[in-house]
Amino acid sequence: MRGEFKLDFERGARIGLDEALFCENKTVDQIAAIVEAVKAKTGRLLLTRLDPSKHEALLARHVSELEFDPLSRTAILGMPHAELRTPPVAIVMAGTSDLPAGREAARTFVFAGQAYREYTDVGVAGLWRLLERIDEIRSSPVVIVAAGMDAALVSVVGGLISGAVIALPTSVGYGVARGGETALRAALASCAPGITVVNIDNGYGAASAALRISRAIAASQNAPERIRATAKAGPN
Amino acid sequence: MRGEFKLDFERGARIGLDEALFCENKTVDQIAAIVEAVKAKTGRLLLTRLDPSKHEALLARHVSELEFDPLSRTAILGMPHAELRTPPVAIVMAGTSDLPAGREAARTFVFAGQAYREYTDVGVAGLWRLLERIDEIRSSPVVIVAAGMDAALVSVVGGLISGAVIALPTSVGYGVARGGETALRAALASCAPGITVVNIDNGYGAASAALRISRAIAASQNAPERIRATAKAGPN
Amino acid sequence: MRGEFKLDFERGARIGLDEALFCENKTVDQIAAIVEAVKAKTGRLLLTRLDPSKHEALLARHVSELEFDPLSRTAILGMPHAELRTPPVAIVMAGTSDLPAGREAARTFVFAGQAYREYTDVGVAGLWRLLERIDEIRSSPVVIVAAGMDAALVSVVGGLISGAVIALPTSVGYGVARGGETALRAALASCAPGITVVNIDNGYGAASAALRISRAIAASQNAPERIRATAKAGPN
Amino acid sequence: MRGEFKLDFERGARIGLDEALFCENKTVDQIAAIVEAVKAKTGRLLLTRLDPSKHEALLARHVSELEFDPLSRTAILGMPHAELRTPPVAIVMAGTSDLPAGREAARTFVFAGQAYREYTDVGVAGLWRLLERIDEIRSSPVVIVAAGMDAALVSVVGGLISGAVIALPTSVGYGVARGGETALRAALASCAPGITVVNIDNGYGAASAALRISRAIAASQNAPERIRATAKAGPN
Amino acid sequence: MRGEFKLDFERGARIGLDEALFCENKTVDQIAAIVEAVKAKTGRLLLTRLDPSKHEALLARHVSELEFDPLSRTAILGMPHAELRTPPVAIVMAGTSDLPAGREAARTFVFAGQAYREYTDVGVAGLWRLLERIDEIRSSPVVIVAAGMDAALVSVVGGLISGAVIALPTSVGYGVARGGETALRAALASCAPGITVVNIDNGYGAASAALRISRAIAASQNAPERIRATAKAGPN
Amino acid sequence: MRGEFKLDFERGARIGLDEALFCENKTVDQIAAIVEAVKAKTGRLLLTRLDPSKHEALLARHVSELEFDPLSRTAILGMPHAELRTPPVAIVMAGTSDLPAGREAARTFVFAGQAYREYTDVGVAGLWRLLERIDEIRSSPVVIVAAGMDAALVSVVGGLISGAVIALPTSVGYGVARGGETALRAALASCAPGITVVNIDNGYGAASAALRISRAIAASQNAPERIRATAKAGPN
Amino acid sequence: MRGEFKLDFERGARIGLDEALFCENKTVDQIAAIVEAVKAKTGRLLLTRLDPSKHEALLARHVSELEFDPLSRTAILGMPHAELRTPPVAIVMAGTSDLPAGREAARTFVFAGQAYREYTDVGVAGLWRLLERIDEIRSSPVVIVAAGMDAALVSVVGGLISGAVIALPTSVGYGVARGGETALRAALASCAPGITVVNIDNGYGAASAALRISRAIAASQNAPERIRATAKAGPN
Amino acid sequence: MRGEFKLDFERGARIGLDEALFCENKTVDQIAAIVEAVKAKTGRLLLTRLDPSKHEALLARHVSELEFDPLSRTAILGMPHAELRTPPVAIVMAGTSDLPAGREAARTFVFAGQAYREYTDVGVAGLWRLLERIDEIRSSPVVIVAAGMDAALVSVVGGLISGAVIALPTSVGYGVARGGETALRAALASCAPGITVVNIDNGYGAASAALRISRAIAASQNAPERIRATAKAGPN
């Protein structure tokens, strides 16, 4: 394994997001070697898509410092980052089956020091459950909406709040749900304007997108005097 | 053209629905010949997918008895059927662009003598427009929901009413909407239970399905004494 | 698990259909917790897509009140609903392999108190088997047709009866059958008018759709004096 | 255009089928040049997918020997082949809209000297139209079934006759019919055994396949003494 | 299981092909019950897609009369049919990996009493292996070509022989081969005229199609005096 | 047309974005009627996907108040909104062919009073053109990246900047580019973390998403004292 | 148009290939502006996908220096590059309909000063046409194979020659050929080893790939003494 | 197994590439039989897609001469070929997960005697890692780029170097990555000119394509006097 990987330790400095270790296509040998390399450098790593069986195998070879969460299949090595001074992100989930994806986002926030709130079982088949909580959700400047099947929740939330909405389609469903493809396409075709979308089940990606926005908000708070730039306008 | 088509004049008697003439894959010659044949028999025909240009061509060759509606691209030959004694069907449309499909359903009802009510521009991006009218919609035993893009309206309506819901996905949208494919799949994957779905832009099919239900209701009203059949129950 | 789910106990009142528990994307922990919560409230639940292995695991942790059917992978908690005073629904199945989907519909009827009749092995490759039984099938106001592969049975039944037809495409087949996708598309493109369709293998959904119609029929029987509403007609 | 094409004049001798000229992707210049080249050699050619506008353009440049049929978009140059001494092939078409594809097959038979019979408007939505004619259809050793939408006719015919069945899916339909893709897949997934399938709208291909079989039958009639070969049977 | 299936014992008489038992979507219980039912009637059955593990389970419950072939996953109950007096069918396979599909066809011929010859490893990447054997292949009036990946063998064989060609696309390959979908589409789009195609890996279907043709040839040999029918020609 | 549409004039108040008029699926009659209705109310409207031919037709019927831009196919009715006090959004376009989509975003900003900067022809095939301008791009808190074909620019930009990145896949390309589908999927599968994506060619949607973020930043600047909410942390 | 594009004049120096102007998604205004800009710099440009109607429009506004070829829809501005001292590339085309794609490759060679030879109508349906010319084709170190439909020619050529093979799938065909998608997938799944593939109808891309190889050969001829580098071998 | 396979021992002589044994669709019995046959002939074989479990099974039946590499799932029987006198091929891999595919290419080079260099973890999310090594990469006349997800690395490398670029899309990723399909399509739609592509995860194919080019270079070095052939130029 020596020399077969090269970590991007400068990513945090460059784009404000640490590189996370996506474990699905990697062998236990590769994961263990990378964890060792990180321990010798920054000592801090988020691991995603870590199957419980792989976690078992890591424990068996004495890679035991990982704080593991089986529902989201994530592990955290080392101490999370210091808390960011940004408002909490809302994570809205249509049903219980959407928890793994939503929780992956939550764990990314834990690692990054970002506050968040979770809202579960608010799918549109029972619209009132959502409407009861919409005012609280609306208070977050950034909202992640995790939903599978037809992802109708995305459009409903998008039509009710003015903050940034990041749709997180999940692979929940069967048949025409096609592993999240229908939820993904429905979110992209949403009738509510200004919805953005990430890959299916990509809780880490949704959280990373939220962190990019949170940082922009935080930077702006630190520099409220930032002068509005004059743009050379377009077509004329 | 002689001998090249054979109409199914017994369909009305057999399944309660007349054969309609789907004009999209037919030449003007074929349509004219079929209209002539019908005039010599029942004198009554619904034509669907009749492009205005084809209607012009029919007029040019003196096929002038058609009552034509350009928005739905339908034409009616002869007198509509006598009014059915059934409650009105609700036709709920997400936006103005869904009118052609919804109107094709309405025209099928006109031809069949079925009462109906139309509800337009009640898409979920502006949820309150729907909620204001939901009680009236709920009073119809059968509701057609025409929506394109992500078809989120289907799930929202399906979660709010107890009657039969027939989703009519439309080809409204672009990109990932893929000509109605996303709306279709979203409707089939709906998180609201008991939704049924017809082909994209198939207003005639949605109306025909509603007519099958309306007839069953009417038949039941005429025979309230129908004794509840005893079923030999399932798995054992 | 505390606080991670919120059941919709009002759904029955709102749309006449209880919420069912779809078990496929849920862990045994989640299912057990939800069953406990239901026992403390209504005491009645239909579970679908419950793998025998998950049922075993539930038994192992003393969740033993479930009445389980392995063929349909359904379980019923508590007493079924009182029998509805509606005519039986026909469940027509093309072949033996379509039984799991058709039986899921049947089990939903058992839970809901709806009468039904099953017809098996009546696929169109042996057309006479169907024609021998078509008169009996025709006597049901609502017919579910479960078929995989090319789903040709859907069109044949749809062309022979006047009642409501709900196509239930199944994942039976291989190669181009693509897990039921071909059956689904064929049913949606059916040459018989007024066919409606539900998601692949969605026996619960087909039954829920039938229940919506049965209720409309029952409501109408109770109120035969319902005056035919006058509709404000469409395009003119 | 000189030197830019090379016709396969030996194909007839090699596989018993002349090369036909598929005109869809060719310019009028290319078609005219090829027709001239054929006239200088065998003098006999079948042209398929020849749009009326291209035929007009050919006439305008004095390519006038073509016997043109606009419905099937075919043209025949020169005299058809001598009549084959084989039984007629049945061409069964679900609806009027399937005529162009079925007629392309018929025209191929005209060119090849093969007898045939056409059966139109026998789709399964009106099953009795088919059943009335099935005995006559059954008398042909080879049957082509042209159908679009859900192509249910293919399975029904395949379950009723013992001869060779060649499914010719057509692009009739819209939405999920997806240009004949659904008819194609349904025919390939047919529940009736031993159905074979050709490309969408490929009437020429269906006829060519029928001609291969007809020739085998004719060859066999000429050599009834052909001794049954002993096969080295399969898995040892 | 009682009453849950209805076999089509008349299929042999009706279309000349016995019903085969497709085991993939059936439980061991269902298969055992059907085998018992057949033993009590005709005593003869072909089983396809029978996994070795299911065969083991059948043996464990004393269903031991099956003659099983693991490579093709087929089993034969009872004596095969009497040998047909037809020339052998050629089964041409591109590579070793295509043997399971090709062998399923061979086993169907064994069951039906049809002679056949197998040709393996004649893929076009080594064209000369095919050309060396093409004259022998050409002597069969019906040729099955089993090939996966790009199925180029289908077009090459189709361009070299005049008999009936049935393409049997196989699921051999990975990535863009997409489980045989590419081979299927390539065979359907073949540049050689008159190729017909069956479903992916459907060796039973390819053999059934060949049997339909063989029977037509045999019938014709028995009735060489069959008078050439006069066809009412098409478009004029 | 009377009564056939219902505009959502409250959307601006509710989610901070006015409803725009998507003209693609609407007739000239419908557009004219809606413009009239808006003039009678707020007097301000953004029209998207307005073909030049439809604009001509509008002019012909004296709907002449529209400020039209043919490249982006947008028109603005009335005065744009007052300038927002937010930093400019960067619109980065891979090539000249991506201008229509990028310009639609720019026009949305013009209408909304949002400052922006355009960067054209910075595709990765000539990487240095991008690297020369990356520092300026990086100064925007929100960056829209418009790219078709393989959309590689999205990942490259996402790996170089820390702000919010909204990918706007365009339909530029042919063959496998499949109308923007490949660009869309590539953007969603981006190896750079935290990228969000909107529908193909949806410049209006990308701009709307940027406006949601800009507003959150502006709100935060106005309330720097907003206390960091304490979140009830995730999995335990 | 000023400032809206930025040409990559250094591309020739950097990767040995000039930037070509892909005209399909560009307006006539944009093309004219770019041609003017190039005339003021290098004076040399290859334009691809230039529709005859756009070429007419360019002539109408006095952009008359283009040497236009309608079959390949290419135009050349200025003098081609000096002839390269490399062996000719073979362009093998299955049929007449593949000429536009193959000719686009040829025109790219004309512009680049690369020798080439064209071989037309050598599709595998008439295998001997190819075999007669294979020795000449084999003498080229780089061979482009343009084929649509099933692209079987790619595998056949790939199995017969040892040089580099670049498959150029074309959009020739209909139905399952799906605009070249089947040819593309078949070429990628080819059973002949070491075939590479470019986008559908991308004659320019195929030629560019050939030029990359030709240059490597030429560079090697100029430096035959290039010492074989010692590679640090793989897996250990 | 006797007689069921026929190896192509002449392939090496014919196209310069030995036949490799693709093990995925083959049984252990088939693999063992083929290895024995090869040992009796050339004694040299490359095996690809050999699962560790199949390798175990081969060892268990004393097929022990294979040199096995589990990461690439390849095995080599006998001595590799003599080293070719060609410059090393560069194998550039985006991330650790792309190693199996890239290593399969490397192992093919080991077997063929071709020098190579590996570059790992140079994906574009951390662009500088690539730019640091690009000069060394550029020195190879042939470069394989292995990348999954969005395959953006392919375009970036293609825009920076002038040598032949062979894209090797990998199945790394999830959701929209669809098993490498997105990487494949992105590589084919690359905005950098002259990129060629092989099947997903086809390391053997990428290496074979590189070997075809390497041989052409070597042949040219041996015959620098090869006179530039005069081509009969295309369209005029």
Side-chain angles (χ1 to χ4, degrees), chain A residues 14-15 83-84 86 88 103 115-116 158-159 161-163 181 185 188 193-194 196-197 212 217 220-221 228-229 231 233-235, chain F residues 14-15 83-84 86 88 103 115-116 158-159 161-163 181 185 188 193 196-197 199 212 217 220-221 228-229 231 233-235:
Chain A
R14 199 172 64 245
I15 65 169
E83 290 203 2
L84 297 168
T86 48
R103 189 59 50 83
Y116 66 93
I161 73 171
S162 64
E181 184 80 24
R185 305 188 86 84
L188 284 161
T196 59
V197 186
R212 285 177 180 261
I217 293 175
S220 157
Q221 284 174 322
R228 191 196 164 290
Chain F
R14 199 171 64 247
I15 65 169
E83 290 204 3
L84 297 169
T86 48
R103 188 60 49 84
Y116 66 93
I161 73 171
S162 65
E181 183 81 24
R185 305 189 83 85
L188 284 161
T196 58
V197 186
N199 193 2
R212 286 176 179 263
I217 292 174
S220 156
Q221 284 174 322
R228 189 195 165 289

Side-chain angles (χ1 to χ4, degrees), chain H residues 174-186:
Chain H
Y174 58 94
V176 293
R178 278 206 287 186
E181 183 80 24
T182 294
L184 174 80
R185 305 189 84 85

Side-chain angles (χ1 to χ4, degrees), chain D residues 18-92:
Chain D
D18 284 355
E19 188 176 10
L21 187 65
F22 177 75
C23 301
E24 198 164 285
N25 297 85
K26 296 194 179 63
T27 64
V28 171
D29 278 358
Q30 290 175 325
I31 297 167
I34 291 171
V35 165
E36 288 310 308
V38 170
K39 271 162 47 182
K41 287 276 265 180
T42 63
R44 184 144 65 190
L45 185 68
L46 175 67
L47 298 90
T48 63
R49 305 288 166 114
L50 181 66
D51 268 337
S53 63
K54 281 187 179 170
H55 181 239
E56 291 291 321
L58 287 170
L59 286 176
R61 65 181 68 186
H62 310 298
V63 181
S64 57
E65 310 85 343
L66 301 176
E67 188 265 302
F68 181 63
D69 172 55
L71 185 57
S72 62
R73 293 186 294 153
T74 55
I76 292 176
L77 173 75
M79 288 293 293
H81 285 268
E83 289 205 4
L84 296 169
R85 298 187 54 79
T86 47
V89 174
I91 306 175
V92 180

Side-chain angles (χ1 to χ4, degrees), chain E residues 78-218:
Chain E
M79 289 294 294
H81 286 268
E83 290 204 3
L84 298 169
R85 298 187 52 80
T86 47
V89 174
I91 307 175
V92 179
M93 289 168 271
T96 309
S97 304
D98 301 308
L99 267 167
R103 188 60 49 84
E104 187 182 283
R107 292 276 290 174
T108 304
F109 289 143
V110 168
F111 180 73
Q114 165 71 46
Y116 66 93
R117 294 200 196 95
E118 290 188 343
Y119 303 83
T120 55
D121 265 325
V122 292
V124 301
L127 193 62
W128 307 115
R129 292 181 296 187
L130 172 68
L131 295 182
E132 281 168 24
R133 312 186 74 179
I134 195 69
D135 284 332
E136 189 185 333
I137 293 169
R138 193 180 275 132
S139 71
S140 285
V142 185
V143 178
I144 293 172
V145 183
M149 297 158 88
D150 61 347
L153 182 60
V154 170
S155 285
V156 172
V157 170
L160 293 173
I161 74 172
S162 65
V165 178
I166 299 165
L168 168 52
T170 69
S171 57
V172 171
Y174 59 94
V176 293
R178 278 206 286 188
E181 183 80 24
T182 294
L184 174 81
R185 305 188 85 85
L188 284 161
S190 173
C191 50
I195 305 292
T196 58
V197 186
V198 297
N199 194 1
I200 299 161
D201 288 334
N202 190 5
Y204 167 72
S208 296
L211 286 167
R212 285 176 180 262
I213 300 172
S214 274
R215 297 251 165 73
I217 293 175

Side-chain angles (χ1 to χ4, degrees), chain H residues 16-38:
Chain H
L17 298 164
D18 284 355
E19 187 176 10
L21 187 65
F22 178 75
C23 301
E24 201 164 282
N25 296 84
K26 296 193 179 65
T27 64
V28 172
D29 279 359
Q30 289 175 326
I31 298 167
I34 291 171
V35 166
E36 289 311 308
V38 170

Side-chain angles (χ1 to χ4, degrees), chain G residues 25-41:
Chain G
N25 297 85
K26 297 194 179 62
T27 64
V28 172
D29 278 358
Q30 290 175 325
I31 298 166
I34 291 171
V35 166
E36 289 310 308
V38 170
K39 272 164 44 183
K41 288 276 263 180

Side-chain angles (χ1 to χ4, degrees), chain D:
Chain D
M1 271 305 296
R2 283 170 312 285
E4 296 206 340
F5 58 88
K6 254 194 126 166
L7 293 178
D8 184 9
F9 290 112
E10 289 75 34
R11 186 175 296 178
R14 199 172 63 246
I15 64 169
L17 300 163
D18 284 355
E19 188 176 10
L21 187 65
F22 177 75
C23 301
E24 198 164 285
N25 297 85
K26 296 194 179 63
T27 64
V28 171
D29 278 358
Q30 290 175 325
I31 297 167
I34 291 171
V35 165
E36 288 310 308
V38 170
K39 271 162 47 182
K41 287 276 265 180
T42 63
R44 184 144 65 190
L45 185 68
L46 175 67
L47 298 90
T48 63
R49 305 288 166 114
L50 181 66
D51 268 337
S53 63
K54 281 187 179 170
H55 181 239
E56 291 291 321
L58 287 170
L59 286 176
R61 65 181 68 186
H62 310 298
V63 181
S64 57
E65 310 85 343
L66 301 176
E67 188 265 302
F68 181 63
D69 172 55
L71 185 57
S72 62
R73 293 186 294 153
T74 55
I76 292 176
L77 173 75
M79 288 293 293
H81 285 268
E83 289 205 4
L84 296 169
R85 298 187 54 79
T86 47
V89 174
I91 306 175
V92 180
M93 289 168 271
T96 309
S97 303
D98 301 308
L99 266 168
R103 188 59 50 84
E104 187 183 282
R107 292 275 291 174
T108 305
F109 289 143
V110 168
F111 180 73
Q114 166 70 46
Y116 66 93
R117 292 200 198 96
E118 290 189 342
Y119 303 83
T120 53
D121 264 322
V122 291
V124 301
L127 193 61
W128 306 115
R129 292 181 296 186
L130 173 67
L131 295 182
E132 280 167 25
R133 311 185 73 178
I134 196 69
D135 284 331
E136 187 185 335
I137 293 169
R138 192 181 276 130
S139 72
S140 284
V142 186
V143 178
I144 292 172
V145 183
M149 296 160 87
D150 61 347
L153 182 61
V154 170
S155 286
V156 172
V157 170
L160 292 174
I161 73 170
S162 64
V165 178
I166 299 166
L168 168 52
T170 69
S171 56
V172 171
Y174 59 93
V176 294
R178 278 204 288 187
E181 183 80 24
T182 293
L184 174 81
R185 306 190 83 86
L188 284 161
S190 172
C191 50
I195 306 291
T196 58
V197 186
V198 298
N199 194 1
I200 299 160
D201 288 334
N202 190 4
Y204 167 71
S208 297
L211 286 168
R212 286 176 180 263
I213 300 172
S214 274
R215 298 251 164 73
I217 292 175
S220 157
Q221 284 174 322
N222 299 337
E225 75 289 357
R226 183 197 283 252
I227 297 146
R228 190 194 164 290
T230 47
K232 281 157 240 101
N236 6 51

